Amino acid sequence: MFFYYAKNQVIKIIRNGFVKLIFYVFLVVAQFLFVTCQTYNSHNIYIRTNQIGFLPGELKTAIILSKTDLFGKPFFILKDNSSEIKFTGSITESSSVYGSFNFCYEIDFSTLNSSGKYKIKLSDSESYPFQIGNSIFNNLRDSLSLFLKVQRCGPTNPILHQPCHLSDVSKIIGYKDSTARDLTGGWHDAGDYVKFLKTTAYTTYLLLFSYEFDPKKFGYDLDKNEVPDILEEAKVGIDWLLRCNVDNQTLVSQVQNESDHNVGWRLPENDSLQFVRPGFVSIGKNTIGIYSASLALASRIWKEKFYDDKFASNCLITAEKFYLLRNSVQDIDTTFSNHYPEKDFNGKLALASVELFNSTGEKKYLEDAFLYGTKAGSDFWWSVGDINSLAHYKIALHNRDFTKYIYQNLKHSKIRSDESFLHEGLEYSWGTTNAFLGVSLQAILFKKLTGSKEFDSLNIYQRDYILGRNPWGISFIYNIGTIFPKKLHSQVAFFNNGYLPGALTAGPAPSDLLENYKIQRFNNDYNEFNSDQMKYFDDRMDYITNEPTIVGNATALFVFGFLSD
């Protein structure tokens, strides 16, 4: 009996002790969970980083948006969807407030350089996957190239639609001869079917510039016909630019008007206005500049690369004829529809004169380039009308003093970038993504001229913003990354179930700009991440934030093509 009693007492003591232990553990866990829920709700934590990834050895960062304080919390970088930890860090002080997120952080994992696929983990929140490697931007470059094929107009072998607008143009307005004229070809400017000389010339020039800048990186030949793809695409633009020459004295600056926007959405081959597409004639120093620059550069490449003396001569003669008209025309030519406004012409004429010098060797052109390049100065911006750095880069190859203008642009952008945890290099605008990538483009030019790494981080921040390191956590290029725009403002995309390879959408815009336009939107998927100052909408009706353009695409192709391997 004693042993039985003693045994029962021992069991009772053990049981009571175990219950107390369980109760104590429960209290501790409950307290921990209570504190955690109060300060660390992972449902309000969003990790944003470049969804494509990084080159080994370069700056690697991400931002974290949170509604709760995360100071001191650990984060981990895991490899290949596994639990293998490749990097560990902790959250430092919040650097900013954004929208409804009172705590915004930046994390740096630049010392992680091993090739592979990764994701960032913070509690039970994870980033979208990204890679580290030397060739991670190759597919992006190839996709960007496809977008321009979609935008092709006329009998130019487009993709995702049939040859279209084969009667361009029905008549010319603003010229003594109002009969029909052959202006088939070129590219549709954006999501509609209007064509502009200035955006076509910009796109053509930048494609040619890219190839000359680095013939190896931009000599890719995906269709295996022994002609670099970027030059095949540029030829679409060159041919159309030559057709815009009416009589060696004036240019067709636009094909079609706002009526294009008033007949409903349709594929271009089904355009009910195909026989009512007028051309509008106008000319100015600005259009002469980009027009002559494009043809002068084309003449050099076609002569040296393809030994096509006849075509090269035609391009060069046309460029020179129009350059000679520069002092007898208005300063700034605007499009008939008043799109793409410009404020100065000196940078464009500087570009024309330096390209004419490079193609002819005539010293008078270089003297003009120095004169116009100095007058142009730094423009502290990037758009179809603000590309002074292209001229300054080309002139700096003959006179290094012109490097200072690119430096001043970049210094201006870096100061702005350093003031924000998002590190935007310019203000938000209509065409934000093109502007940011223009900063990257200029950083690449400056480094090529000087070898300086001063603006490497500025370059990377703009690139990463486009690819997902932004409040919305979206890659602004269709089908690139995990999350990207699905409802682009593009008629061709609409009739192809949203598919539009390589389309760089315009991106977020200032709220006060958006308020000036009455846009009826149907999709607010990203509204939580809009702020009072800036907004983005993945909505097919939003032609401000969600429309791709050939201009933005050309800028992106230079940046990501240069990063390709």
Side-chain angles (χ1 to χ4, degrees), residues 10-24:
V10 169
I11 292 172
K12 185 177 180 180
I13 292 171
I14 292 174
R15 283 175 175 171
N16 288 341
F18 183 74
V19 170
K20 289 180 180 179
L21 177 62
I22 292 297
F23 180 72
Y24 175 77

Side-chain angles (χ1 to χ4, degrees), residues 43-48 65-67 98-101 128 422 465 470-474 508 524-536:
H43 295 297
N44 292 321
I45 298 171
Y46 300 91
I47 305 170
R48 310 306 203 192
L65 307 180
S66 176
K67 296 184 178 180
Y98 173 83
S100 62
F101 298 93
Y128 299 118
L422 295 171
Y465 186 102
N470 56 65
W472 303 269
I474 188 171
N524 291 311
D525 289 351
Y526 297 94
N527 201 45
E528 180 181 1
F529 307 102
N530 287 333
S531 71
D532 292 339
Q533 292 73 40
M534 70 195 79
K535 301 182 188 298
Y536 167 73

Side-chain angles (χ1 to χ4, degrees), residues 194-240:
V194 184
K195 299 187 288 193
F196 297 106
L197 182 142
K198 64 169 61 179
T199 59
T200 298
Y202 171 98
T203 300
T204 302
Y205 181 82
L206 206 49
L207 296 178
L208 297 170
F209 178 92
S210 299
Y211 178 77
E212 187 181 55
F213 187 80
D214 194 326
K216 184 175 181 180
K217 284 183 179 292
F218 291 99
Y220 58 94
D221 180 19
L222 302 180
D223 55 11
K224 306 298 182 184
N225 65 353
E226 299 184 357
V227 177
D229 291 356
I230 202 165
L231 295 183
E232 285 187 83
E233 201 61 52
K235 185 65 162 49
V236 173
I238 299 166
D239 288 343
W240 191 74

Side-chain angles (χ1 to χ4, degrees), residues 245-318:
N245 174 11
V246 178
D247 58 1
N248 291 324
Q249 295 184 38
T250 191
L251 296 166
V252 173
S253 61
Q254 179 176 334
V255 170
Q256 190 53 294
N257 54 32
E258 297 301 303
S259 63
D260 178 86
H261 303 160
N262 301 326
V263 294
W265 286 45
R266 72 280 188 205
L267 282 170
E269 62 266 29
N270 299 326
D271 190 354
S272 61
L273 299 175
Q274 60 180 312
F275 300 114
V276 191
R277 285 173 58 85
F280 299 89
V281 171
S282 60
I283 193 168
K285 291 181 174 65
N286 57 329
T287 48
I288 281 177
I290 189 62
Y291 184 79
S292 296
S294 301
L295 293 179
L297 177 52
S299 72
R300 192 163 65 252
I301 293 176
W302 257 255
K303 181 177 181 178
E304 297 173 357
K305 171 72 176 175
F306 301 114
Y307 308 106
D308 190 341
D309 291 342
K310 182 178 179 180
F311 183 78
S313 177
N314 186 26
C315 289
L316 184 57
I317 290 172
T318 304

Side-chain angles (χ1 to χ4, degrees), residues 41 74 127 150 160 188-189 286 299 354 429 431 439 484 511:
N41 186 344
S127 72
V150 177
L160 300 187
H188 301 133
D189 179 66
N286 57 329
S299 72
V354 72
S429 62
V439 174
F484 48 84
S511 300

